[in-house]
Amino acid sequence: MNVSDSGIVGTILTDNGFQLVNDTSEADVVLLNTCSIRDNAEKKVKNRIQELNTIKKKRGLIIGILGCMAERLKEDLITNYGVDVVCGVDSYRKIAEAINNSIDSSIALTVLNSQETYEGITPLQINTDAVTAFVSIMRGCENFCSYCVVPYTRGRERSHSVKSIITQCEDLFSKGYREITLLGQNVNSYRFNDGERTTDFADLIKQVAEINPLLRVRFATSHPKDISDRLIDVIASYNNICKAVHLPLQSGSSDVLKRMNRKYTREEYLEKIKRIKATIPDCSISTDIIVGFCGETPEDFEQTLEVMRIVEYDYAFMFAYSQRPDTLAAKKYADDISLQEKNRRLTQLINLQRDLSMASNRRDIGKVYEVMVEEQSKRSADKLFGRNSQNKVVIFDVGDFKKGDYAKVKILDCTSATLFGKTL
Ligand code: SF4
């Protein structure tokens, strides 16, 4: 989401006479777009602010904080961290004015606005060299998972208009982009009513896929309670909708899921997985998992490992629970698993996932995939880097291809993270 928001800020600033530069040493203004989802993410930003303050003392610099940390910490960033501009997620239209006025005194704009979708602003694509792009289709979230700050920092859920999304995707395709990821905190609850009809996510992704068969479409993130049978059918029926579903599990224990306020049980989650696998047999499935959530017993943790083994995830993002201030969990439950135990469980999880990813990649040896060329491999000048529809990284020999082309690649070897092949 932050990539897309940075693009919105980029457009607003360039429209107001600002210029993008490639290096901090050339900048008069540095804006950090931040995330508050984990304590570690905030610590990194605070360290970066310290570094920027050192530069500021030497030659003058305007430091701005955007995104979730701006909403969460507000004026505290000015008072205690020497920040000049604090601009929350719904205030970006005023960012240029805020920067100009901050020369006189620091400014914090953090009022949430449930109507703001930045309609009419096409996000600047910061990496113009790429063939993959992100398009935000909605803002905010109202699920209130008990561990999560997003509903407080990003406000109420609202969907962008179908017209603005399609126009943006068409424009990206015409500029040479060949893969678009539709983004939202929970894309499955996308709904837009234009006065005549309501478009849901299944309708929307179909329309994006129909722009051109050469345009690949991905999406993130799905909420297990909302992913619909109709969406699964649509993914199966369009070649250019990628066969990769990211379905965050968070925990394999229904008791923990209840405390997390995830609104599905382990059994309901596994039913959705069964439906996906039956309808899209070549679909890769990835997930997010939190270990050591409040009250997670060894039995709860074992249930998470068990779900991982049943689903055989292709890859997973795994984290130790980090309590965030003001969330429901912080108010209601004790953060009672020691850091040592959280880390022990996390290591066990990572080891299991490495084995599952390795097994999944080994099953791909001998198969032929259509791989979209993204760039030259960073490790070797005579290899190309791309991804297959399943979102797996494929490294293969340089042929007569350019970025955005599709190559047929036979998989010959793998590690747990990468497939290696040769073009046919
Ligand atoms: S769905 Fe839950 S975890 Fe995801 S952004 Fe919304 S509240 Fe946070």
Side-chain angles (χ1 to χ4, degrees):
M1 298 299 294
N2 273 356
V3 177
S4 172
D5 274 11
S6 296
I8 289 170
V9 171
T11 298
I12 293 169
L13 289 180
T14 46
D15 286 353
N16 281 277
F18 288 80
Q19 261 185 326
L20 277 178
V21 291
N22 289 325
D23 200 278
T24 311
S25 62
E26 300 167 49
D28 301 314
V29 181
V30 175
L31 303 175
L32 305 180
N33 199 354
T34 62
C35 166
S36 287
I37 208 121
R38 267 169 281 282
D39 190 37
N40 252 351
E42 288 200 356
K43 277 187 184 140
K44 276 188 196 162
V45 173
K46 286 174 184 168
N47 289 340
R48 182 75 181 121
I49 296 172
Q50 269 182 1
E51 288 166 21
L52 292 173
N53 269 313
T54 313
I55 302 174
K56 185 173 168 179
K57 276 187 197 127
K58 283 187 194 149
R59 64 159 174 95
L61 182 72
I62 293 174
I63 305 171
I65 299 297
L66 315 176
C68 289
M69 266 178 87
E71 291 296 349
R72 208 181 77 70
L73 298 174
K74 300 183 168 54
E75 280 84 359
D76 187 38
L77 289 165
I78 294 175
T79 318
N80 296 317
Y81 294 90
V83 169
D84 303 287
V85 178
V86 177
C87 192
V89 295
D90 291 334
S91 303
Y92 297 147
R93 287 185 195 269
K94 296 187 192 139
I95 183 78
E97 193 187 330
I99 291 170
N100 290 330
N101 292 340
S102 72
I103 294 163
D104 300 324
S105 68
S106 303
I107 291 177
L109 303 167
T110 55
V111 177
L112 289 173
N113 172 0
S114 63
Q115 304 302 314
E116 182 60 274
T117 59
Y118 296 104
E119 184 81 17
I121 298 177
T122 305
L124 189 76
Q125 293 298 320
I126 298 191
N127 182 2
T128 48
D129 218 20
V131 285
T132 58
F134 296 97
V135 171
S136 165
I137 63 165
M138 58 203 297
R139 301 184 71 77
C141 182
E142 285 169 31
N143 282 310
F144 290 94
C145 300
S146 65
Y147 52 82
C148 182
V149 289
V150 167
Y152 309 98
T153 57
R154 294 196 162 257
R156 299 196 58 169
E157 187 177 277
R158 62 272 195 199
S159 298
H160 296 204
S161 73
V162 177
K163 190 167 169 262
S164 71
I165 296 166
I166 299 297
T167 307
Q168 211 180 312
C169 294
E170 284 172 343
D171 183 51
L172 288 165
F173 183 75
S174 73
K175 288 179 173 148
Y177 290 89
R178 289 294 174 266
E179 184 182 293
I180 285 175
T181 304
L182 303 175
L183 291 177
Q185 306 292 349
N186 176 13
V187 291
N188 306 117
S189 57
Y190 176 88
R191 294 270 177 298
F192 187 80
N193 187 299
D194 64 4
E196 282 178 18
R197 58 166 299 203
T198 300
T199 302
D200 67 8
F201 185 62
D203 299 326
L204 179 76
I205 197 168
K206 247 201 247 188
Q207 290 190 45
V208 176
E210 283 168 6
I211 290 174
N212 195 297
L214 290 177
L215 179 67
R216 265 187 179 177
V217 191
R218 299 190 187 277
F219 60 94
T221 289
S222 285
H223 195 300
K225 75 178 166 56
D226 294 320
I227 188 165
S228 66
D229 285 354
R230 213 159 65 78
L231 175 63
I232 297 169
D233 292 338
V234 168
I235 299 169
S237 56
Y238 280 77
N239 267 341
N240 59 335
I241 300 181
C242 289
K243 307 298 177 259
V245 173
H246 186 75
L247 204 62
L249 168 69
Q250 307 302 10
S251 170
S253 152
S254 294
D255 286 346
V256 175
L257 288 170
K258 193 160 186 210
R259 285 198 296 281
M260 286 178 163
N261 197 28
R262 289 289 288 172
K263 304 184 187 102
Y264 54 86
T265 62
R266 159 198 177 90
E267 290 72 27
E268 286 162 347
Y269 181 92
L270 287 172
E271 267 310 305
K272 300 273 181 177
I273 295 286
K274 215 163 134 187
R275 174 78 164 83
I276 295 168
K277 289 193 172 196
T279 316
I280 322 167
D282 58 342
C283 191
S284 71
I285 299 177
S286 54
T287 199
D288 299 334
I289 299 176
I290 297 171
V291 281
F293 185 69
C294 314
E296 184 189 71
T297 62
E299 293 73 28
D300 291 322
F301 176 59
E302 188 47 50
Q303 289 190 45
T304 299
L305 297 173
E306 199 179 83
V307 172
M308 289 173 75
R309 288 187 205 104
I310 296 170
V311 179
E312 298 181 312
Y313 292 109
D314 293 275
Y315 61 92
F317 298 105
M318 296 157 284
F319 306 96
Y321 172 59
S322 145
Q323 190 185 68
R324 308 308 295 126
D326 303 324
T327 54
L328 207 63
K331 288 178 192 157
K332 212 166 155 191
Y333 307 117
D335 183 10
D336 54 358
I337 312 294
S338 70
L339 187 60
Q340 193 188 16
E341 180 58 15
K342 282 179 186 170
N343 286 336
R344 193 195 66 76
R345 292 180 192 180
L346 182 61
T347 306
Q348 208 178 329
L349 211 68
I350 290 170
N351 288 341
L352 172 59
Q353 186 52 52
R354 192 179 302 123
D355 290 349
L356 293 173
S357 299
M358 188 68 187
S360 161
N361 284 355
R362 280 204 180 119
R363 287 193 292 272
D364 289 338
I365 293 178
K367 291 184 188 168
V368 175
Y369 286 107
E370 194 167 70
V371 177
M372 194 185 76
V373 179
E374 289 185 32
E375 58 189 2
Q376 189 185 301
S377 163
K378 289 194 173 69
R379 298 217 174 131
S380 164
D382 61 351
K383 300 279 179 205
L384 292 173
F385 171 106
R387 284 171 207 272
N388 63 8
S389 173
Q390 288 70 16
N391 210 17
K392 290 187 180 182
V393 168
V394 184
I395 304 291
F396 55 104
D397 49 297
V398 171
D400 192 15
F401 301 107
K402 56 184 188 319
K403 280 182 184 186
D405 284 350
Y406 291 95
K408 284 236 177 305
V409 180
K410 183 168 183 180
I411 305 305
L412 302 175
D413 199 2
C414 69
T415 64
S416 59
T418 310
L419 300 175
F420 300 94
K422 66 165 189 182
T423 47
L424 295 181

